[in-house]
Amino acid sequence: QVQLVESGGGLVQPGGSLRLSCAASGTIFSVYTIGWYRQAPGKQRDMVATITSIGITNYADSVKGRFTISRDNARKTVYLQMNSLKPEDTAVYYCYFDKGPGYWGQGTQVTVSS
């Protein structure tokens, strides 16, 4: 059974940085696309960034140039480096593993506030 465990969220001031991690277990990792989504209170869950098995990345327009997604297949982990954070980046960030029906992590809170 696929399990995803996110970490790295927290409170940061505007302009600051955070790095999120998502560790997968119970599955082959390297051949699947994996990504990050986020959901702010009262809003739908939106794609932030995805990375394919061969390293092709896709970003939401709102985070291009500020966020970087990467993966370490040996560690079965995907990362999201978030720089120049803005208050509007505040949300719960979820890891998504694109295998079969799709799998979600439990989410990690990111709050950008002064």
Side-chain angles (χ1 to χ4, degrees):
Q1 182 171 344
V2 178
Q3 290 188 320
L4 304 169
V5 179
E6 297 114 331
S7 61
L11 173 63
V12 63
Q13 292 186 340
S17 298
L18 282 174
R19 189 175 83 151
L20 306 183
S21 300
C22 172
S25 61
T27 180
I28 296 172
F29 180 82
S30 62
V31 301
Y32 296 99
T33 294
I34 190 164
W36 291 94
Y37 287 68
R38 68 187 181 186
Q39 187 167 20
K43 296 188 176 182
Q44 67 181 20
R45 190 173 297 186
D46 292 325
M47 187 275 292
V48 175
T50 61
I51 184 166
T52 71
S53 61
I54 57 172
I56 296 173
T57 58
N58 183 41
Y59 295 93
D61 288 343
S62 59
V63 307
K64 283 180 181 176
R66 301 188 297 122
F67 291 11
T68 303
I69 189 171
S70 61
R71 64 191 295 162
D72 184 336
N73 289 332
R75 289 183 166 82
K76 295 187 177 182
T77 300
V78 63
Y79 303 98
L80 185 68
Q81 177 66 45
M82 306 186 293
N83 298 329
S84 302
L85 282 161
K86 304 175 181 180
E88 51 263 43
D89 295 316
T90 296
V92 178
Y93 284 70
Y94 296 91
C95 180
Y96 177 74
F97 192 67
D98 192 15
K99 174 185 178 183
Y103 296 88
W104 294 95
Q106 82 285 357
T108 186
Q109 176 70 46
V110 171
T111 302
V112 185
S113 175
S114 54

